[in-house]
Amino acid sequence: MKLLTRTAVRELMDRHGLQPSRALGQNFVCDPGTIQKIVRLAELRSGDQVVEIGPGLGSLSLGLVEAGASVLAIEIDRYLIPALSEVVEGKPVRVLNADANNVDWSTELGDSQWHLVANLPYNVGTSLVLDLLSEVGQITQYLVMVQAEVGYRLAAQPGEKGCGIPSVITSYWGSARVVGHVPNQVFLPKPNVDSVLVRIERSPTPMIDAEFAPLLRLVRAGFGQRRKMIRRSLSAFVSEEQILSAGVDPTLRAEALTLGQWGLLGGIS
Ligand code: SAM
Protein backbone atom coordinates (compact mmCIF):
# COMPACT_ATOMS: atom_id res chain seq x y z
CA MET A 1 0.00 0.00 0.00
CA LYS A 2 1.23 3.49 -0.79
CA LEU A 3 1.81 5.46 2.42
CA LEU A 4 1.68 9.27 2.37
CA THR A 5 4.94 11.03 1.52
CA ARG A 6 5.69 14.72 2.11
CA THR A 7 4.79 15.43 -1.53
CA ALA A 8 1.49 13.57 -1.20
CA VAL A 9 0.57 15.41 2.02
CA ARG A 10 1.36 18.80 0.41
CA GLU A 11 -0.61 17.89 -2.70
CA LEU A 12 -3.66 16.81 -0.66
CA MET A 13 -3.59 19.99 1.41
CA ASP A 14 -3.26 22.20 -1.65
CA ARG A 15 -5.97 20.45 -3.61
CA HIS A 16 -8.41 20.60 -0.67
CA GLY A 17 -7.43 24.16 0.27
CA LEU A 18 -6.31 23.14 3.78
CA GLN A 19 -4.11 25.03 6.24
CA PRO A 20 -2.91 23.11 9.33
CA SER A 21 -4.65 24.38 12.48
CA ARG A 22 -2.33 25.14 15.39
CA ALA A 23 -5.25 25.20 17.80
CA LEU A 24 -6.08 21.58 16.91
CA GLY A 25 -2.43 20.49 17.13
CA GLN A 26 -2.26 19.58 13.45
CA ASN A 27 1.23 18.30 12.66
CA PHE A 28 0.90 15.66 9.98
CA VAL A 29 3.35 12.79 9.68
CA CYS A 30 4.70 12.69 6.17
CA ASP A 31 7.32 9.98 6.44
CA PRO A 32 6.38 6.37 5.57
CA GLY A 33 9.31 5.00 7.65
CA THR A 34 7.92 6.65 10.79
CA ILE A 35 4.45 5.27 10.13
CA GLN A 36 5.89 1.76 9.71
CA LYS A 37 7.81 2.15 12.97
CA ILE A 38 4.67 3.22 14.88
CA VAL A 39 2.69 0.32 13.46
CA ARG A 40 5.46 -2.20 14.25
CA LEU A 41 5.67 -0.99 17.85
CA ALA A 42 1.88 -1.28 18.19
CA GLU A 43 2.31 -5.05 17.67
CA LEU A 44 -0.94 -5.42 15.78
CA ARG A 45 -2.28 -8.67 14.44
CA SER A 46 -4.38 -9.02 11.35
CA GLY A 47 -8.04 -8.48 12.29
CA ASP A 48 -7.31 -6.25 15.31
CA GLN A 49 -9.68 -3.35 15.90
CA VAL A 50 -7.97 -0.01 16.35
CA VAL A 51 -9.25 3.35 17.54
CA GLU A 52 -7.27 6.17 16.01
CA ILE A 53 -7.83 9.60 17.52
CA GLY A 54 -6.99 12.48 15.22
CA PRO A 55 -6.33 10.70 11.90
CA GLY A 56 -5.72 14.02 10.14
CA LEU A 57 -5.08 13.25 6.48
CA GLY A 58 -4.87 9.51 7.10
CA SER A 59 -1.08 8.92 7.18
CA LEU A 60 -1.27 6.57 10.14
CA SER A 61 -4.68 5.13 9.20
CA LEU A 62 -3.14 3.72 6.01
CA GLY A 63 -0.29 2.13 7.99
CA LEU A 64 -2.77 0.52 10.37
CA VAL A 65 -4.77 -0.91 7.48
CA GLU A 66 -1.57 -2.23 5.92
CA ALA A 67 -1.00 -4.20 9.15
CA GLY A 68 -4.42 -5.85 8.72
CA ALA A 69 -6.32 -3.77 11.27
CA SER A 70 -9.76 -2.24 10.91
CA VAL A 71 -9.86 1.33 12.12
CA LEU A 72 -12.32 3.66 13.82
CA ALA A 73 -10.85 7.06 12.98
CA ILE A 74 -12.16 9.94 15.12
CA GLU A 75 -11.36 13.37 13.72
CA ILE A 76 -12.65 16.64 15.17
CA ASP A 77 -11.92 18.89 12.18
CA ARG A 78 -14.74 18.76 9.66
CA TYR A 79 -12.63 20.58 7.07
CA LEU A 80 -10.23 17.60 6.93
CA ILE A 81 -12.94 15.00 6.41
CA PRO A 82 -13.17 15.18 2.58
CA ALA A 83 -9.39 14.72 2.17
CA LEU A 84 -9.29 11.97 4.82
CA SER A 85 -12.23 10.15 3.24
CA GLU A 86 -10.51 10.29 -0.14
CA VAL A 87 -7.30 8.77 1.31
CA VAL A 88 -9.04 5.88 3.09
CA GLU A 89 -11.73 5.23 0.49
CA GLY A 90 -12.36 1.49 0.01
CA LYS A 91 -10.26 0.63 3.09
CA PRO A 92 -11.56 -0.78 6.40
CA VAL A 93 -11.61 2.65 8.05
CA ARG A 94 -14.75 4.15 9.58
CA VAL A 95 -14.40 7.90 9.85
CA LEU A 96 -16.24 9.60 12.69
CA ASN A 97 -16.29 13.40 12.67
CA ALA A 98 -16.34 14.03 16.44
CA ASP A 99 -14.45 15.41 19.38
CA ALA A 100 -12.81 12.41 21.08
CA ASN A 101 -13.70 13.97 24.44
CA ASN A 102 -17.42 13.59 23.67
CA VAL A 103 -17.60 10.14 22.13
CA ASP A 104 -20.05 7.61 23.57
CA TRP A 105 -17.47 4.84 23.83
CA SER A 106 -19.80 2.03 24.80
CA THR A 107 -21.89 2.66 21.67
CA GLU A 108 -18.87 2.94 19.37
CA LEU A 109 -16.76 0.09 20.77
CA GLY A 110 -19.36 -2.37 22.07
CA ASP A 111 -17.93 -5.15 24.25
CA SER A 112 -14.94 -6.14 22.15
CA GLN A 113 -11.26 -5.39 22.80
CA TRP A 114 -9.59 -2.52 21.02
CA HIS A 115 -6.15 -1.03 20.53
CA LEU A 116 -5.61 2.69 20.50
CA VAL A 117 -2.92 3.90 18.12
CA ALA A 118 -2.65 7.64 17.65
CA ASN A 119 -0.47 10.60 16.96
CA LEU A 120 -2.19 12.73 19.56
CA PRO A 121 -2.68 16.47 19.36
CA TYR A 122 -0.25 18.11 21.79
CA ASN A 123 -2.84 20.09 23.71
CA VAL A 124 -5.14 17.20 24.60
CA GLY A 125 -2.80 14.18 24.65
CA THR A 126 -2.34 13.62 28.37
CA SER A 127 -5.89 14.25 29.54
CA LEU A 128 -7.33 12.09 26.77
CA VAL A 129 -5.10 9.12 27.58
CA LEU A 130 -5.81 9.38 31.31
CA ASP A 131 -9.58 9.65 30.74
CA LEU A 132 -9.60 6.68 28.39
CA LEU A 133 -7.55 4.56 30.80
CA SER A 134 -9.94 5.40 33.62
CA GLU A 135 -13.21 5.11 31.71
CA VAL A 136 -12.86 2.87 28.66
CA GLY A 137 -11.97 -0.69 29.64
CA GLN A 138 -12.44 -1.99 26.08
CA ILE A 139 -9.17 -0.31 25.04
CA THR A 140 -6.48 -2.63 26.39
CA GLN A 141 -3.36 -1.68 24.40
CA TYR A 142 -2.14 1.82 23.64
CA LEU A 143 0.60 3.05 21.35
CA VAL A 144 0.54 6.82 21.42
CA MET A 145 2.84 9.42 19.96
CA VAL A 146 3.03 12.44 22.26
CA GLN A 147 5.33 15.35 22.99
CA ALA A 148 8.52 13.87 24.56
CA GLU A 149 8.04 15.54 27.95
CA VAL A 150 4.46 14.26 28.18
CA GLY A 151 5.54 10.74 27.24
CA TYR A 152 8.23 10.57 29.92
CA ARG A 153 5.68 11.83 32.46
CA LEU A 154 3.22 9.07 31.57
CA ALA A 155 5.90 6.41 31.97
CA ALA A 156 7.85 7.78 34.99
CA GLN A 157 8.37 5.55 38.02
CA PRO A 158 8.38 6.85 41.65
CA GLY A 159 11.44 9.00 42.30
CA GLU A 160 12.18 9.49 38.60
CA LYS A 161 12.23 12.89 36.94
CA GLY A 162 8.77 13.61 35.55
CA CYS A 163 6.93 11.51 38.14
CA GLY A 164 3.58 13.18 38.74
CA ILE A 165 -0.18 12.75 38.59
CA PRO A 166 -0.17 11.18 35.08
CA SER A 167 2.48 8.62 36.11
CA VAL A 168 0.51 7.48 39.16
CA ILE A 169 -2.79 7.28 37.26
CA THR A 170 -1.17 5.31 34.44
CA SER A 171 0.51 2.91 36.87
CA TYR A 172 -2.86 2.36 38.63
CA TRP A 173 -4.37 1.08 35.37
CA GLY A 174 -1.41 -0.70 33.86
CA SER A 175 2.16 -0.24 32.76
CA ALA A 176 3.69 2.31 30.41
CA ARG A 177 7.03 2.41 28.61
CA VAL A 178 8.64 4.86 26.20
CA VAL A 179 9.45 2.61 23.25
CA GLY A 180 10.62 5.02 20.57
CA HIS A 181 11.68 8.51 19.67
CA VAL A 182 10.44 10.56 16.70
CA PRO A 183 12.33 13.62 15.48
CA ASN A 184 10.33 16.72 14.60
CA GLN A 185 11.50 16.69 10.93
CA VAL A 186 8.99 13.98 9.99
CA PHE A 187 6.01 16.32 10.49
CA LEU A 188 4.41 18.95 8.35
CA PRO A 189 4.46 21.59 9.75
CA LYS A 190 7.45 20.87 11.99
CA PRO A 191 6.60 21.24 15.72
CA ASN A 192 9.09 22.86 18.10
CA VAL A 193 9.63 19.70 20.11
CA ASP A 194 10.44 16.06 19.47
CA SER A 195 7.95 13.30 20.17
CA VAL A 196 8.10 9.88 21.76
CA LEU A 197 6.10 6.70 21.35
CA VAL A 198 4.58 5.33 24.54
CA ARG A 199 3.19 1.85 24.86
CA ILE A 200 0.64 1.28 27.61
CA GLU A 201 -0.84 -2.08 28.53
CA ARG A 202 -4.07 -1.63 30.44
CA SER A 203 -4.78 -4.32 32.98
CA PRO A 204 -8.36 -5.71 33.12
CA THR A 205 -8.42 -4.72 36.82
CA PRO A 206 -6.47 -1.97 38.62
CA MET A 207 -2.88 -2.88 39.53
CA ILE A 208 -3.65 -2.51 43.24
CA ASP A 209 -6.69 -3.26 45.36
CA ALA A 210 -7.61 0.35 46.13
CA GLU A 211 -10.48 2.57 45.07
CA PHE A 212 -9.62 5.09 42.38
CA ALA A 213 -11.49 8.21 43.58
CA PRO A 214 -9.90 8.57 47.06
CA LEU A 215 -6.49 7.69 45.65
CA LEU A 216 -6.83 10.35 42.95
CA ARG A 217 -7.88 12.96 45.52
CA LEU A 218 -4.75 12.29 47.53
CA VAL A 219 -2.46 12.17 44.50
CA ARG A 220 -3.79 15.56 43.38
CA ALA A 221 -3.22 17.05 46.83
CA GLY A 222 0.28 15.56 47.10
CA PHE A 223 1.49 16.75 43.71
CA GLY A 224 -0.37 20.06 44.12
CA GLN A 225 2.24 20.85 46.78
CA ARG A 226 4.99 18.61 45.51
CA ARG A 227 7.84 20.29 47.38
CA LYS A 228 6.18 19.69 50.73
CA MET A 229 6.46 16.51 52.76
CA ILE A 230 3.29 14.43 52.64
CA ARG A 231 2.54 15.08 56.33
CA ARG A 232 1.85 18.67 55.19
CA SER A 233 0.55 18.24 51.65
CA LEU A 234 -1.91 15.47 52.62
CA SER A 235 -2.89 16.91 56.02
CA ALA A 236 -6.45 17.72 54.89
CA PHE A 237 -7.04 13.99 54.31
CA VAL A 238 -4.74 11.99 56.62
CA SER A 239 -2.96 12.84 59.87
CA GLU A 240 0.72 12.21 60.47
CA GLU A 241 -0.23 9.41 62.90
CA GLN A 242 -2.38 7.74 60.23
CA ILE A 243 0.45 7.95 57.71
CA LEU A 244 2.82 6.35 60.24
CA SER A 245 0.34 3.66 61.15
CA ALA A 246 0.00 2.79 57.43
CA GLY A 247 3.77 2.16 57.51
CA VAL A 248 4.60 5.14 55.28
CA ASP A 249 7.28 7.70 56.07
CA PRO A 250 5.48 11.08 56.54
CA THR A 251 8.61 13.01 55.55
CA LEU A 252 8.49 11.67 51.99
CA ARG A 253 7.43 13.93 49.12
CA ALA A 254 4.68 12.89 46.70
CA GLU A 255 7.09 11.95 43.91
CA ALA A 256 8.76 9.30 46.11
CA LEU A 257 5.59 7.37 46.97
CA THR A 258 4.97 4.03 45.33
CA LEU A 259 1.56 3.11 43.96
CA GLY A 260 1.10 0.69 46.85
CA GLN A 261 1.75 3.50 49.36
CA TRP A 262 -0.77 5.79 47.61
CA GLY A 263 -3.27 2.93 47.85
CA LEU A 264 -2.65 2.46 51.60
CA LEU A 265 -3.10 6.18 52.28
CA GLY A 266 -6.18 6.37 50.02
CA GLY A 267 -7.71 3.53 52.03
CA ILE A 268 -7.49 5.46 55.32
CA SER A 269 -8.31 8.95 54.02
N1 SAM B 1 -2.70 11.20 12.67
C1 SAM B 1 -2.31 12.29 11.79
C2 SAM B 1 -0.87 12.13 11.43
O1 SAM B 1 -0.15 11.43 12.15
O2 SAM B 1 -0.46 12.72 10.43
C3 SAM B 1 -2.59 13.67 12.41
C4 SAM B 1 -2.02 13.91 13.78
S1 SAM B 1 -2.19 15.56 14.36
C5 SAM B 1 -0.84 15.61 15.53
C6 SAM B 1 -3.56 15.53 15.47
C7 SAM B 1 -4.94 15.37 14.85
O3 SAM B 1 -5.91 15.32 15.91
C8 SAM B 1 -5.39 16.49 13.95
O4 SAM B 1 -5.91 15.96 12.77
C9 SAM B 1 -6.49 17.23 14.75
O5 SAM B 1 -7.46 17.85 13.94
C10 SAM B 1 -7.06 16.08 15.56
N2 SAM B 1 -7.70 16.46 16.83
C11 SAM B 1 -7.38 17.48 17.66
N3 SAM B 1 -8.18 17.49 18.75
C12 SAM B 1 -9.04 16.44 18.60
C13 SAM B 1 -10.11 15.91 19.39
N4 SAM B 1 -10.45 16.47 20.55
N5 SAM B 1 -10.78 14.84 18.93
C14 SAM B 1 -10.44 14.25 17.73
N6 SAM B 1 -9.43 14.71 16.94
C15 SAM B 1 -8.73 15.77 17.38
Side-chain angles (χ1 to χ4, degrees):
M1 186 178 314
K2 230 167 160 258
L3 298 176
L4 297 183
T5 59
R6 188 167 292 266
T7 315
V9 168
R10 280 224 172 88
E11 188 278 326
L12 264 172
M13 289 176 55
D14 286 351
R15 191 155 46 77
H16 288 268
L18 297 168
Q19 290 290 334
S21 155
R22 253 178 100 92
L24 293 176
Q26 289 177 354
N27 301 96
F28 303 117
V29 175
C30 46
D31 174 50
T34 300
I35 295 297
Q36 281 157 345
K37 175 176 168 176
I38 298 172
V39 172
R40 181 168 37 81
L41 289 168
E43 295 181 14
L44 297 173
R45 285 199 225 129
S46 183
D48 278 344
Q49 303 189 94
V50 176
V51 177
E52 185 190 0
I53 292 173
L57 296 167
S59 306
L60 180 54
S61 324
L62 288 182
L64 296 169
V65 169
E66 192 176 55
S70 57
V71 182
L72 170 62
I74 302 169
E75 173 56 57
I76 195 171
D77 186 354
R78 69 187 167 97
Y79 297 108
L80 290 185
I81 302 295
L84 173 62
S85 303
E86 178 188 309
V87 167
V88 300
E89 196 191 343
K91 311 267 188 315
V93 177
R94 181 158 73 90
V95 175
L96 186 64
N97 179 203
D99 179 342
N101 292 298
N102 299 330
V103 167
D104 178 345
W105 294 104
S106 53
T107 304
E108 296 302 336
L109 306 187
D111 291 333
S112 40
Q113 285 204 356
W114 290 74
H115 290 246
L116 184 133
V117 185
N119 170 16
L120 290 171
Y122 286 157
N123 43 353
V124 292
T126 315
S127 58
L128 208 52
V129 169
L130 298 181
D131 287 351
L132 292 173
L133 277 172
S134 309
E135 290 159 24
V136 186
Q138 298 98 313
I139 303 177
T140 54
Q141 313 263 357
Y142 292 66
L143 196 280
V144 291
M145 173 144 74
V146 287
Q147 197 175 335
E149 193 192 336
V150 167
Y152 285 110
R153 250 188 253 148
L154 285 172
Q157 298 299 308
E160 282 181 7
K161 185 166 171 270
C163 179
I165 300 171
S167 341
V168 182
I169 298 180
T170 306
S171 67
Y172 178 84
W173 293 111
S175 58
R177 249 173 349 117
V178 173
V179 291
H181 180 262
V182 179
N184 61 358
Q185 295 97 306
V186 305
F187 298 94
L188 188 81
K190 196 165 89 168
N192 293 328
V193 290
D194 286 349
S195 301
V196 292
L197 298 166
V198 182
R199 195 174 152 80
I200 306 173
E201 315 261 347
R202 187 195 192 273
S203 159
T205 53
M207 300 298 276
I208 56 167
D209 185 16
E211 269 187 63
F212 186 57
L215 183 139
L216 182 61
R217 219 172 24 235
L218 277 193
V219 170
R220 285 198 172 127
F223 285 102
Q225 295 183 292
R226 58 187 307 146
R227 282 164 204 271
K228 293 200 174 145
M229 296 177 189
I230 55 170
R231 67 177 176 212
R232 293 284 302 280
S233 60
L234 305 185
S235 61
F237 303 100
V238 279
S239 66
E240 184 165 356
E241 289 68 38
Q242 285 176 306
I243 298 176
L244 276 168
S245 65
V248 180
D249 177 354
T251 66
L252 291 177
R253 292 181 173 78
E255 66 210 17
L257 259 62
T258 63
L259 178 65
Q261 289 173 322
W262 283 115
L264 285 172
L265 297 179
I268 56 171
S269 65

